[in-house]
Amino acid sequence: MATNANAATRERPGLERTGLERPGLERLGLLVHVAGQGDPRTVLDQHLRLAVVAEELGYDSFWIAQHHLGAESGVVPSPFVFLAAVAARTHRIRLGTAVVTLPLEDPVRVAEDAAQADLLSGGRIELGIGSGAHRPSFEAFGRDFEQRRADQERAARVLEDTLRGGPLPGGAPLHPPAPGLADRIWQAAVSGTERARLAAAAGHGLLLSRTTTDPSSPVGEAQVPTAEAYFKKFDTSRGTRPRLGVSRTVYPVADRATAVRDLAPGARSWLAQAATEWAGRDLAATESDDDALLRRHDIHAGPVEAVTAGLAADPALALATDLIVQFQPGLPSFGSAVGALEAIATRVAPALGLRPRP
């Protein structure tokens, strides 16, 4: 996406009060969880097709979530395998992981897999990493769930050093090498400032989730301190620019009733699993009304004008370089998803200062 500087900076709320330099909104991405209740091969094929559609519509990036053991109905435990298949079907769109659960992985193997995918894609990989929150996955892999953040920090240092060509035990470097990939690492955060400062000090990008651990305030408000801490701490001496990706559930359709019909069943299924398996999410109180359920989870769904107004008023998005849209926790049909992607690219994104890339 190309940027209309006026719309992307001066007219968006939240910039003036901090006094910090921001790059402004630059790119539009799509995040998919490669999730569904049907045949896994069909789910995989449909999301491969969505990647092609996103590129044709001018999206800048295509991100996938890693899910072990069917978490959130996802069917991709090995994201680089999936991205290699996407790379074979696309030419320009950047390909990201959002995210690899690093405490469950050997960081040297992550470096090898990411480097291989980067070569196959012509240097298009964006490497998002996170500590994870799905307790059953840690139990299945025999990893200490309570130590996951400390484990991620150690693994992240090994990962970056390996990608930069540092010698491994025994003296051998990464092969084949991955020039530039270490400068395309992103770290994920839900909210809070510690992770933001760590990512900034390392010169990494920061990915903010569509949800927070604080249900008492809108997600955009809760994430502003995280975003501000990131920009204040960012280390430009490493040669990279700050990159703040903000993920939001966005589903523009003809009317609110259609949005509720398409998204509420998936949202309720997600809640049923997340309430028992995911850490740090207060999901005990759920609404019996489907429309209220979507509002509670900050889902921007309905007519284009309402969706655009909601995003324009999001103070965390006002600080972002990347808007990364998704449909999760909803599970719309393939055709409905394509229609929503087109509406985002042709109507919502331009209203926010972005226009499709040629």
Side-chain angles (χ1 to χ4, degrees), residues 31-33 63-66 79 96-100 126 128-129 188 207 324:
L31 166 61
V32 298
H33 288 245
W63 302 77
I64 65 167
Q66 179 186 50
T97 56
V99 294
V100 174
E126 301 288 331
I129 58 176
L207 295 169
I324 303 173

Side-chain angles (χ1 to χ4, degrees), residues 323-342:
L323 167 60
I324 303 173
V325 301
Q326 60 174 304
F327 304 132
Q328 199 81 354
L331 295 173
S333 69
F334 175 78
S336 296
V338 170
L341 289 180
E342 182 174 8

Side-chain angles (χ1 to χ4, degrees), residues 265-288:
R268 291 206 175 277
S269 176
W270 173 80
L271 278 169
Q273 184 183 63
T276 59
E277 295 185 357
W278 291 85
R281 296 181 181 175
D282 179 13
L283 302 171
T286 59
E287 286 76 9
S288 58

Side-chain angles (χ1 to χ4, degrees), residues 267-316:
R268 291 206 175 277
S269 176
W270 173 80
L271 278 169
Q273 184 183 63
T276 59
E277 295 185 357
W278 291 85
R281 296 181 181 175
D282 179 13
L283 302 171
T286 59
E287 286 76 9
S288 58
D289 177 75
D290 286 341
D291 187 86
L293 176 68
L294 298 193
R295 288 198 304 272
R296 180 176 186 267
H297 290 279
D298 298 291
I299 294 172
H300 300 275
V304 166
E305 295 77 13
V307 167
T308 302
L311 292 171
D314 186 319

